[in-house]
Amino acid sequence: MKNTIKLALFSAVVIGYITSCTPSTKETNDGQSEFVENPPAEGFDEKNSDAIAIKLADDVMTSMGGRNSWDATRFLAWNFFGARKHLWDKQTGDVRIEAPRDSTIILMNINTMTGRVMKKGQEFNSPDSLSKYLERGKSWWINDSYWLFMPFKLKDSGVTLQYVGEDTTMDGRNAHVLSLLFKGVGVTPDNGYKVYVDMEQSLITQWAYYKDAYQDEPNFVLPWVNYKPYGKILLSGDRGQRQITEISVLETVPEGSFTEFSPIIL
């Protein structure tokens, strides 16, 4: 097994909380209303997910700052292993992606798939070229955001969540292990993950990635460690050999961040 990071696009799902899914109520078997603090996204496979796994997913959400804090978080920025810089408006779906290696800037909305693209100082006006790079931008965003926000997505659309059992992480800590399978979502729905939930902190401290969800050995296993507070939530950018850097939660962003190619200072 190779414990390496490939910057290929393998993430199975799109961030499911672009439109906030706030705490709600549901009707119980006896007709009573029950408060649900962390309701699943529409399309979550609750029928085939087990109760222990769902409870652990809710515990993770609480440890990360809670559903209300996640829903209230609007602007997020990060640098994905030096390959791409992202600025995301979680409320509107607007994103700004800068790829310095080929001087590409993509300004787009991931919901409407509209936007602008500039590469090496030239803006694309051809519909075909623009569409191609907007699709690439969304794929980048799907992949890069999952590496940072996955703990908030355990009950996302298309996810089936199962409890695997107990195990220890690479650093010897006891953890509950959850299996994530996907159906009909994202760019690579055949992927699978096992995530390790620390027994003491209820934080995800390791993940194993399977290109084919049913293969015997993972393609890699990496840590999720060194959580830090950003705004009202916790995030981990430490993946062992490489780091997600320049992480920030912002209340406001510079005017034109999502519409103009001019450099911005966050």
Side-chain angles (χ1 to χ4, degrees):
M1 179 184 67
K2 295 181 179 179
N3 187 19
T4 58
I5 300 174
K6 295 183 179 179
L7 299 187
L9 301 172
F10 59 80
S11 172
V13 287
V14 178
I15 294 290
Y17 298 115
I18 295 169
T19 302
S20 295
C21 188
T22 54
S24 62
T25 59
K26 69 176 182 179
E27 188 172 302
T28 61
N29 292 334
D30 59 3
Q32 300 298 312
S33 292
E34 177 184 359
F35 179 72
V36 181
E37 185 176 1
N38 183 35
E42 184 178 354
F44 172 68
D45 186 9
E46 191 166 8
K47 178 181 178 181
N48 294 308
S49 299
D50 62 59
I52 296 176
I54 291 173
K55 174 61 167 59
L56 287 167
D58 292 339
D59 291 343
V60 168
M61 177 67 82
T62 298
S63 294
M64 296 287 289
R67 182 58 173 272
N68 286 334
S69 295
W70 172 240
D71 285 345
T73 299
R74 180 169 180 179
F75 299 108
L76 300 124
W78 69 99
N79 186 323
F80 181 70
F81 301 137
R84 292 178 286 274
K85 292 184 178 181
H86 292 264
L87 177 63
W88 174 32
D89 184 341
K90 188 160 65 72
Q91 186 177 102
T92 66
D94 290 327
V95 297
R96 179 189 183 98
I97 305 170
E98 300 183 24
R101 292 177 184 174
D102 61 0
S103 301
T104 298
I105 301 176
I106 299 175
L107 312 172
M108 66 177 297
N109 186 285
I110 54 175
N111 300 325
T112 64
M113 293 300 293
T114 57
R116 304 173 66 192
V117 176
M118 183 173 72
K119 184 174 182 179
K120 296 181 179 180
Q122 297 295 318
E123 182 172 1
F124 291 144
N125 294 311
S126 163
D128 290 342
S129 297
L130 182 60
S131 176
K132 171 186 173 181
Y133 275 86
L134 291 178
E135 290 287 349
R136 180 177 298 179
K138 185 167 183 176
S139 293
W140 281 345
W141 176 85
I142 290 172
N143 180 77
D144 302 356
S145 60
Y146 202 65
W147 277 80
L148 186 58
F149 305 117
M150 177 270 294
F152 295 104
K153 297 178 51 57
L154 297 178
K155 295 167 65 175
D156 209 2
S157 178
V159 174
T160 302
L161 200 58
Q162 292 286 334
Y163 182 68
V164 176
E166 299 180 7
D167 203 347
T168 55
T169 58
M170 291 183 291
D171 61 0
R173 295 183 63 89
N174 295 327
H176 297 289
V177 184
L178 304 181
S179 168
L180 279 74
L181 301 176
F182 308 95
K183 184 177 181 180
V185 292
V187 293
T188 51
D190 294 332
N191 292 173
Y193 294 88
K194 288 182 180 176
V195 298
Y196 292 68
V197 180
D198 186 82
M199 289 186 180
E200 294 182 5
Q201 300 176 313
S202 293
L203 292 172
I204 291 174
T205 54
Q206 182 174 291
W207 73 351
Y209 162 69
Y210 299 77
K211 185 175 182 180
D212 180 339
Y214 297 101
Q215 67 191 47
D216 293 331
E217 296 294 331
N219 293 79
F220 61 73
V221 180
L222 291 173
W224 281 64
V225 292
N226 294 326
Y227 283 84
K228 297 177 182 179
Y230 297 91
K232 296 182 179 180
I233 60 175
L234 293 181
L235 294 170
S236 161
D238 190 338
R239 301 294 168 268
Q241 296 177 349
R242 297 190 183 186
Q243 306 291 311
I244 300 171
T245 59
E246 300 177 50
I247 302 171
S248 59
V249 169
L250 307 161
E251 293 187 3
T252 61
V253 296
E255 185 176 354
S257 293
F258 302 109
T259 57
E260 303 297 331
F261 297 117
S262 304
I264 60 172
I265 299 177
L266 299 178

